[in-house]
């Protein structure tokens, strides 16, 4: 069955909207909360949903918890076929009415392996015909009054091609779109806004750490994030920033198990900086254009893990691509 509307305040949703400044009268008129407790596989349940959409004509539909919703309907979130089936069952069904549909999902706990994909099947991203964002938490939300929470918003997919031009290149084949900030000013008031991305001044580039990481990769070959941390030491935040700079500068490459397994041309390791932080310069030797290496995924446990490492040139070969 389908439950409720505004009166059903599941998880204090309405209370949070009021805290963010929404007027109670507007919430009562425009906000509708639906929580299925049984699969929507019968005509009765689908008719309930269709009647609600016809009556309310929503402009935005938020599906909170794709993995949980798929499980409720007996579908496997790890299976691409089931993911495509669920997409036709609910998100695309609602989108055909003219409403914008936002699917909320979780990422894996492993930072090294998540890349730009949600938890489960790759079709969760590949099947989208719009945009996809990844939120990376920097300061937790809701940990206390007077504390600002912050999450970085990255563009994982931009099917219309109109979003990336407003962001800045970032790691993992994504673009930095901005930062979501939530300021908890009191128990009854919180404000939220998005800050645009800003270019980092050159003097803040961690060139010493970049040189250490480059030397470690040159010595040991391809390494996971965890092993880079063990080899270099220091603060993990500084190491991640240094790796991002190396990736953006084209000195190292980062691949995930969902991206095409394709060799990438890269330069040599970063030269050792002097006592002051200075711009990074590549080796004098360059890779001849058109040379590529086949890439063998690094296996850790029973799954493919992402790698960061230099690509060394060899004789020209055709690029290798993974078969989906």
């Amino acid at each position: 069955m389908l439950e409720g509307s505004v009166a059903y305040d599941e998880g204090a949703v309405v209370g949070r909207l009021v805290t963010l400044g929404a007027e109670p009268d507007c919430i009562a008129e425009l906000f509708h909360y639906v929580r299925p407790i049984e699969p929507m596989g019968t005509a009765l349940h689908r008719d309930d949903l269709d009647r609600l959409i016809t009556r309310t004509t929503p402009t935005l539909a938020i599906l909170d918890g794709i993995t949980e919703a798929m499980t409720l309907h007996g579908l496997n979130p790890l299976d691409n076929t089931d993911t495509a089936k669920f997409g036709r069952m609910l998100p695309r069904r609602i989108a055909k009415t003219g409403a914008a549909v936002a699917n909320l999902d979780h990422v894996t706990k492993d930072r090294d392996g998540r890349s730009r994909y949600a938890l489960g099947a790759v079709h969760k991203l590949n099947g989208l015909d719009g945009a996809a964002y990844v939120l990376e938490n920097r300061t937790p939300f809701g940990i206390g009054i007077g504390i600002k929470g912050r999450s970085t918003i990255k563009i994982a997919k931009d099917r219309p091609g109109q979003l990336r031009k407003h962001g800045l290149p970032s790691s993992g084949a994504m673009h930095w779109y901005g930062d979501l900030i939530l300021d908890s000013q009191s128990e009854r008031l919180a404000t939220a806004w998005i800050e645009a991305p800003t270019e980092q001044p050159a003097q803040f580039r961690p060139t010493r750490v970049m040189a250490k990481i480059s030397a470690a990769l040159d010595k040991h070959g391809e390494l996971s994030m965890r092993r880079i941390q063990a080899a270099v030491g220091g603060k993990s935040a500084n190491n991640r920033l240094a790796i991002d700079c190396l990736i953006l500068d084209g000195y190292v490459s980062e691949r995930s198990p969902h991206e095409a397994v394709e060799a990438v041309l890269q330069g040599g390791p970063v030269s050792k900086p002097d006592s002051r932080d200075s711009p990074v310069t590549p080796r004098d030797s360059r890779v001849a254009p058109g040379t590529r290496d086949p890439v063998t995924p690094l296996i850790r446990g029973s799954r493919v893990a992402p790698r960061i490492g230099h690509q060394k040139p060899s004789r020209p070969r055709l690029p290798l691509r993974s078969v989906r």
Side-chain angles (χ1 to χ4, degrees):
M1 61 180 294
L2 296 178
E3 289 191 5
S5 183
V6 179
Y8 195 99
D9 189 8
E10 177 71 14
V13 176
V14 171
R16 292 172 183 171
L17 291 175
V18 172
T19 302
L20 288 170
E23 295 292 337
D25 291 342
C26 291
I27 297 175
E29 179 183 358
L30 302 175
F31 177 70
H32 301 273
Y33 187 94
V34 178
R35 183 173 183 245
I37 60 175
E38 296 177 0
M40 298 177 61
T42 66
L44 176 62
H45 297 157
R46 290 177 180 173
D47 289 345
D48 288 340
L49 178 62
D50 291 341
R51 281 194 295 268
L52 177 63
I53 293 177
T54 301
R55 177 170 59 86
T56 60
T57 61
T59 56
L60 173 64
I62 301 174
L63 305 182
D64 189 2
I66 297 301
T67 298
E68 182 178 355
M70 290 184 63
T71 303
L72 176 66
H73 289 80
L75 301 174
N76 183 3
L78 304 178
D79 184 78
N80 286 318
T81 301
D82 280 1
T83 300
K85 181 178 180 180
F86 178 78
R88 295 190 300 268
M89 179 190 304
L90 194 57
R92 292 186 182 276
R93 184 184 185 90
I94 298 175
K96 287 181 179 179
T97 67
V101 180
N103 298 335
L104 306 185
D105 212 339
H106 294 280
V107 295
T108 61
K109 292 182 179 180
D110 183 9
R111 281 181 173 269
D112 296 347
R114 70 178 54 161
S115 183
R116 61 194 183 104
Y117 289 81
L119 176 68
V122 299
H123 197 72
K124 285 184 175 181
L125 179 65
N126 297 344
L128 291 178
D129 56 4
Y133 302 90
V134 174
L135 268 67
E136 296 182 352
N137 181 259
R138 294 168 58 184
T139 305
F141 295 117
I143 61 175
I145 303 299
I147 298 178
K148 292 181 180 179
R150 179 185 293 264
S151 286
T152 297
I153 305 173
K154 292 186 176 181
I155 302 172
K157 184 173 184 177
D158 181 17
R159 177 63 61 85
Q162 299 297 318
L163 296 173
R164 290 191 176 98
K165 63 183 180 182
H166 300 293
L168 295 174
S170 184
S171 61
M174 294 187 286
H175 276 64
W176 177 24
Y177 188 66
D179 286 353
L180 172 63
I181 302 173
L182 179 65
D183 185 5
S184 181
Q185 301 178 20
S186 69
E187 293 182 357
R188 296 186 177 183
L189 178 62
T191 55
W193 67 94
I194 295 177
E195 286 187 354
T198 56
E199 293 278 5
Q200 296 294 328
Q203 60 266 29
F204 292 110
R205 290 165 59 86
T207 54
R208 291 190 183 91
V209 181
M210 292 167 67
K212 290 181 180 180
I213 293 175
S214 181
L217 293 173
D218 192 41
K219 179 180 179 180
H220 301 290
E222 294 167 340
L223 297 172
S224 66
M225 292 284 291
R226 183 177 301 175
R227 292 188 176 179
I228 288 177
Q229 178 68 31
V232 176
K235 295 183 178 180
S236 59
N238 292 339
N239 292 339
R240 289 185 181 279
L241 176 59
I243 290 172
D244 285 343
C245 291
L246 288 169
I247 291 173
L248 293 177
D249 289 347
Y251 289 104
V252 300
S253 65
E254 179 185 49
R255 290 180 301 278
S256 77
H258 306 297
E259 294 172 334
V261 181
E262 180 180 0
V264 181
L265 297 180
Q266 304 292 347
V270 179
S271 60
K272 184 177 181 181
D274 56 21
S275 58
R276 299 170 297 175
D277 282 347
S278 58
V280 178
T281 56
R283 280 181 174 177
D284 292 335
S285 60
R286 296 289 183 176
V287 179
T291 58
R292 293 180 179 269
D293 267 347
V295 177
T296 302
L298 176 65
I299 304 298
R300 184 172 61 191
S302 60
R303 62 183 179 82
V304 181
R307 303 179 298 175
I308 295 178
H310 295 293
Q311 302 299 315
K312 298 182 179 180
S314 65
R315 59 187 179 87
R317 299 182 183 181
L318 293 176
L320 301 178
R321 296 186 181 276
S322 61
V323 179
R324 297 185 182 277

